[in-house]
Amino acid sequence: MQNLITNRWYIGQTTTSFNTRYCGDFFNHKYNKLSEDRPKGKLLFEDIEKYGQESFEIIEVLDVAFSERELDEKEAYYIDLYKAYDEGYNTYRGNIFKHGKGKRDNKYGL
């Protein structure tokens, strides 16, 4: 997701469909309920209110991965590429290897 006014980015991953992950909640309440320990999430919500939803471009699929490890690696790569941690909305540099050994479905997407 890119703020077209500030050029700030948020990069996220999902193992479900895009609609399942964002499903309207993204703009309506997800970042409204973040605590003070997530200042970048709060900044994203404040920017959505300040600039309006129309000022954000959402790219549904930036890339795909075929394993959990590859998904985590690609998320970190794109966070770095788009400076989503240093200058954007990402709170972490990526969820490198956060996935356990449990199996998930094979719908990996970034």
Side-chain angles (χ1 to χ4, degrees):
M1 168 189 307
Q2 179 188 20
N3 181 327
L4 300 172
I5 308 292
T6 66
N7 200 37
R8 288 186 178 132
W9 282 82
Y10 171 78
I11 304 292
Q13 62 171 265
T14 185
T15 58
T16 63
S17 73
F18 176 83
N19 287 335
T20 300
R21 169 116 194 251
Y22 293 97
C23 196
D25 289 339
F26 198 85
F27 285 117
N28 295 327
H29 1 291
K30 182 176 180 184
Y31 288 96
N32 190 18
K33 296 180 181 176
L34 288 177
S35 65
E36 291 300 316
D37 63 335
R38 303 278 307 266
K40 290 190 178 190
K42 185 177 179 189
L43 174 63
L44 175 56
F45 178 73
E46 290 170 351
D47 279 2
I48 290 169
E49 286 200 335
K50 180 178 181 178
Y51 299 110
Q53 293 180 22
E54 64 280 355
S55 297
F56 287 81
E57 179 181 31
I58 298 175
I59 301 169
E60 289 187 31
V61 178
L62 186 61
D63 204 340
V64 295
F66 299 97
S67 72
E68 293 167 347
R69 183 179 180 108
E70 182 183 9
L71 181 65
D72 289 342
E73 288 171 347
K74 285 185 175 188
E75 180 188 38
Y77 168 78
Y78 285 109
I79 288 171
D80 185 52
L81 180 68
Y82 290 99
K83 299 180 177 143
Y85 174 80
D86 295 324
E87 300 172 12
Y89 301 113
N90 282 75
T91 303
Y92 305 103
R93 293 188 182 276
N95 294 314
I96 286 292
F97 315 127
K98 76 170 183 169
H99 293 110
K101 294 183 179 181
K103 294 194 176 224
R104 293 185 172 210
D105 60 30
N106 59 5
K107 300 176 195 169
Y108 298 100
L110 209 48

